[in-house]
Amino acid sequence: MLICSNVFMTFAWYWHLKDKGIALWKAILISWGIALFEYCLTVPANRMGYTTGWTGFQLKIVQEIISLVIFCIFAVLYLREPFHWKYLISFAFIMGAVYFAFKK
């Protein structure tokens, strides 16, 4: 559910960057509509994760990793932005944070 919610979130936050001609107020309203679906998935996913033993910190860190992966796919395929090697290095450091967050 967190993966699906992040797809909605990414579109809600960034879809309008490709179409600069749309009025800002319209982009905000459309983004709110898209974000509703994100919340409908994120809230139950976080509740399930928390009740099964994950901490709030762990849930947030995993959500950020998922968000970054989804955004990279979105940026390359939808926004047509190049993916640079420096982003891979950045991900390696973030994965280190995930390791330490889950380390007992």
Side-chain angles (χ1 to χ4, degrees), residues 1-2 41-51 59-60 63:
M1 281 203 294
L2 282 177
L41 294 170
T42 301
V43 171
N46 282 324
R47 184 170 287 195
M48 284 188 291
Y50 197 75
T51 58
L59 286 167
K60 183 60 180 173
Q63 186 274 332

Side-chain angles (χ1 to χ4, degrees), residues 7-29:
V7 170
F8 281 111
M9 181 211 49
T10 300
F11 272 96
W13 286 6
Y14 301 106
W15 68 271
H16 58 90
L17 297 179
K18 199 169 179 182
D19 184 7
K20 296 178 182 97
I22 190 165
L24 182 58
W25 68 270
K26 285 182 185 178
I28 291 169
L29 290 178

Side-chain angles (χ1 to χ4, degrees), residues 2-4 6-11 65-75:
L2 282 177
I3 292 170
C4 291
N6 273 280
V7 170
F8 281 111
M9 181 211 49
T10 300
F11 272 96
I65 290 295
I66 293 169
S67 180
L68 286 170
V69 170
I70 298 294
F71 180 79
C72 286
I73 295 167
F74 177 86

Side-chain angles (χ1 to χ4, degrees), residues 77-95:
L77 297 179
Y78 183 79
L79 296 176
R80 303 282 186 218
E81 294 182 1
F83 190 82
H84 296 285
W85 65 268
K86 61 186 175 184
Y87 303 141
L88 290 176
I89 303 297
S90 301
F91 287 140
F93 283 112
I94 293 169
M95 291 307 290

